[in-house]
Amino acid sequence: LIVFNLCLGLLFLSGFFHMKNKNYVILKSQEELLIPSTPCRAKTNVMFLKTHKTASSTVLNIMFRFAERYNLTVALPADQLVHLGYPRTFMAHFVEEFAAIGQNYNIMCNHLRFNPSEVQKVMAANTFYFSILRNPIPLLESSYVYYKNSVPAFRFSKDVNEYLASPLKYYHQADFKQNIYARNIMWFDFGYDNNAEDDKEYIQAVLKDIEQNFHLILIADYFDESMILLKHTLCWDLDDVVYFKLNSRSQDTVQTLTPESEERIKTWCSLDWKLYLHFNQSFWRRIEETIGLEVLQKEVNRLRARQKELMEICLLEQEAVRKDHIKNKALLPFQSGAANILGYNLNQDLDNRTLRTCQRMVMPELQYTSYLYAVQHPHKKRKQLGFPLLWTSFQEK
């Protein structure tokens, strides 16, 4: 096993790879990276509220890579935690060395339950706040499969359709702390009561509250469009938002919702449904007001072309593979419930710089969190993830 020290030096992810005899050179192409017509400066103080089952692990990877590119300080979970106190409401002391570092963190993106006054103690006054939502219909099905073994409301039902036929048969208020993933999970992540009454005035007040706290809400169902909007809004490069999809599951673990179940989700998760409808509208309005649909489509096409190019360079199979097909177990994603979480195999014979870039793009959330923690807090005990190989051992045998 060849072990290299990931703590030495931080990689600047930028530009294009040029292929030559199985060695790749990172080149910067100003034209391809779509430099804005009006000069702007990349925002480097950014808080991302990571919601559940909304492609947010992919966004977290984007945020971590950006932090490394600019040598930024990430507000990481203290001690052995891999999230910022979730599902407890966030408190500033959940961040490693908050007492010493104070309001000098640049990036915050690990799971937390939003609490604006406490987050503001950690993040600078000029911080950009954004989050991501997903259509509650596929979201609930995804939650059901992923949390099948850990959520009481899911555990005792045969499948997602049986659960939705009579959710109150399985969902008991006494277990509300264990059942947060079973109803209005996005509402909960934003810091609100996911069992609240569906009251029009209350919902409007919450929507207004979120609009005041967040500068941008993305939509997971339009992920590439979301990345282009994020890129424009933060004045980032194309390579800052290029990605490989992380924490996705194999298709054979997807349960097909009946039309009746889909309608029931709109009622059972009515708070999430109204949250999603509101910000789906504002998302497209924002695009029309800032980028325009024509430019958006051109940039989405370039993002997908860049992604395809990087897949050809980095990935052995050009796609995600099932957990039992992942050769390097250090790159194995955390597995949960009845889901089969996919991962990646990297190409052989990559030069060191290219290898490290590719590794970062496929590195699962827990491993990346542990790696950054060791870089930022070298004197602290490393986070114990229990994987077969040390988090530092990402190079193939």
Side-chain angles (χ1 to χ4, degrees):
L1 180 69
I2 302 171
V3 181
F4 66 87
N5 189 345
L6 289 177
C7 298
L8 294 177
L10 293 172
L11 180 65
F12 283 73
L13 294 173
S14 62
F16 276 61
F17 293 88
H18 177 68
M19 196 178 301
K20 185 179 179 182
N21 298 327
K22 288 194 176 181
N23 288 314
Y24 311 99
V25 183
I26 298 178
L27 301 173
K28 183 89 165 184
S29 168
Q30 299 292 341
E31 294 176 0
E32 292 289 353
L33 292 180
L34 303 176
I35 300 303
S37 54
T38 54
C40 62
R41 190 171 182 176
K43 290 182 173 65
T44 53
N45 291 334
V46 183
M47 189 275 170
F48 169 58
L49 176 62
K50 187 178 188 296
T51 48
H52 284 80
K53 312 313 298 171
T54 58
S56 61
S57 292
T58 303
V59 180
L60 177 135
N61 180 272
I62 286 169
M63 299 298 293
F64 279 171
R65 285 187 284 123
F66 184 81
E68 289 203 79
R69 174 181 180 180
Y70 285 97
N71 197 13
L72 304 176
T73 303
V74 182
L76 293 169
D79 303 319
Q80 292 301 305
L81 295 177
V82 292
H83 47 63
L84 292 164
Y86 193 90
R88 289 179 290 168
T89 301
F90 176 76
M91 300 295 289
H93 68 262
F94 294 161
V95 174
E96 185 63 76
E97 293 192 354
F98 164 71
I101 297 175
Q103 206 177 24
N104 290 308
Y105 296 90
N106 306 111
I107 300 291
M108 176 183 273
C109 56
N110 288 81
H111 271 309
L112 60 81
R113 189 177 185 211
F114 193 61
N115 183 5
S117 60
E118 288 293 306
V119 172
Q120 286 161 14
K121 292 179 183 179
V122 177
M123 302 303 292
N126 68 344
T127 295
F128 182 90
Y129 288 76
F130 80 101
S131 189
I132 189 166
L133 299 174
R134 183 184 180 188
N135 186 324
I137 295 172
L139 186 151
L140 186 69
E141 184 276 330
S142 178
S143 290
Y144 184 92
V145 175
Y146 195 82
Y147 298 108
K148 174 69 172 166
N149 300 333
S150 55
V151 171
F154 294 158
R155 196 183 303 139
F156 300 111
S157 52
K158 182 182 66 177
D159 57 33
V160 68
N161 292 305
E162 182 177 277
Y163 169 68
L164 288 166
S166 52
L168 289 173
K169 179 180 176 182
Y170 305 101
Y171 185 97
H172 303 300
Q173 288 282 6
D175 298 326
F176 75 95
K177 287 184 179 177
Q178 289 76 40
N179 279 331
I180 54 174
Y181 303 105
R183 188 183 194 190
N184 295 311
I185 180 58
M186 294 187 293
W187 199 264
F188 181 88
D189 288 348
F190 274 87
Y192 304 100
D193 179 7
N194 60 317
N195 290 306
E197 292 293 321
D198 186 342
D199 175 79
K200 187 176 181 181
E201 287 187 11
Y202 166 68
I203 289 173
Q204 288 305 313
V206 167
L207 294 176
K208 185 177 179 182
D209 206 27
I210 293 172
E211 286 178 334
Q212 289 176 341
N213 286 324
F214 290 85
H215 300 95
L216 180 65
I217 302 292
L218 303 176
I219 301 296
D221 310 80
Y222 305 100
F223 194 80
D224 287 349
E225 292 84 354
S226 289
M227 291 304 98
I228 296 303
L229 180 58
L230 183 69
K231 166 190 167 295
H232 271 262
T233 309
L234 296 181
C235 195
W236 288 7
D237 288 339
L238 185 69
D239 265 21
D240 291 327
V241 297
V242 73
Y243 66 93
F244 298 154
K245 190 175 181 181
L246 298 179
N247 209 39
S248 61
R249 60 192 162 124
S250 58
Q251 277 300 114
D252 60 352
T253 65
V254 175
Q255 298 185 13
T256 302
L257 291 161
T258 65
E260 293 80 11
S261 290
E262 293 189 355
E263 290 303 310
R264 285 171 184 144
I265 290 172
K266 296 177 186 178
T267 303
W268 175 242
C269 297
S270 62
L271 303 178
D272 270 4
W273 181 245
K274 288 169 183 177
L275 178 71
Y276 173 77
L277 290 179
H278 177 84
F279 284 104
N280 185 43
Q281 284 187 334
S282 67
F283 172 79
W284 289 106
R285 189 164 59 243
R286 179 80 164 260
I287 283 174
E288 289 174 1
E289 291 170 355
T290 56
I291 306 173
L293 294 176
E294 189 176 339
V295 172
L296 174 72
Q297 192 55 54
K298 287 180 181 177
E299 294 210 24
V300 164
N301 291 341
R302 293 189 188 185
L303 175 65
R304 290 171 179 168
R306 179 65 174 137
Q307 181 189 56
K308 185 173 183 290
E309 183 178 24
L310 285 170
M311 282 184 161
E312 289 171 357
I313 292 168
C314 292
L315 304 181
L316 194 60
E317 291 93 352
Q318 310 295 296
E319 62 181 3
V321 299
R322 294 171 63 92
K323 62 185 180 184
D324 49 350
H325 293 156
I326 298 170
K327 296 179 180 180
N328 186 343
K329 298 309 179 186
L331 294 176
L332 179 71
F334 177 73
Q335 302 293 319
S336 177
N340 185 324
I341 305 301
L342 306 177
Y344 296 95
N345 289 317
L346 295 178
N347 270 322
Q348 303 290 315
D349 303 323
L350 300 173
D351 68 73
N352 280 341
R353 196 176 182 191
T354 304
L355 176 65
R356 293 180 187 186
T357 299
C358 294
Q359 285 171 339
R360 281 160 170 77
M361 292 195 70
V362 304
M363 199 182 297
E365 178 180 333
L366 297 184
Q367 287 95 314
Y368 213 151
T369 297
S370 178
Y371 156 59
L372 284 182
Y373 185 86
V375 171
Q376 285 190 189
H377 308 288
H379 303 300
K380 296 275 184 177
K381 182 182 178 183
R382 292 178 182 176
K383 293 187 186 292
Q384 304 301 306
L385 300 180
F387 284 94
L389 295 176
L390 290 174
W391 60 271
T392 45
S393 308
F394 286 103
Q395 204 155 329
E396 297 285 356
K397 289 183 180 179

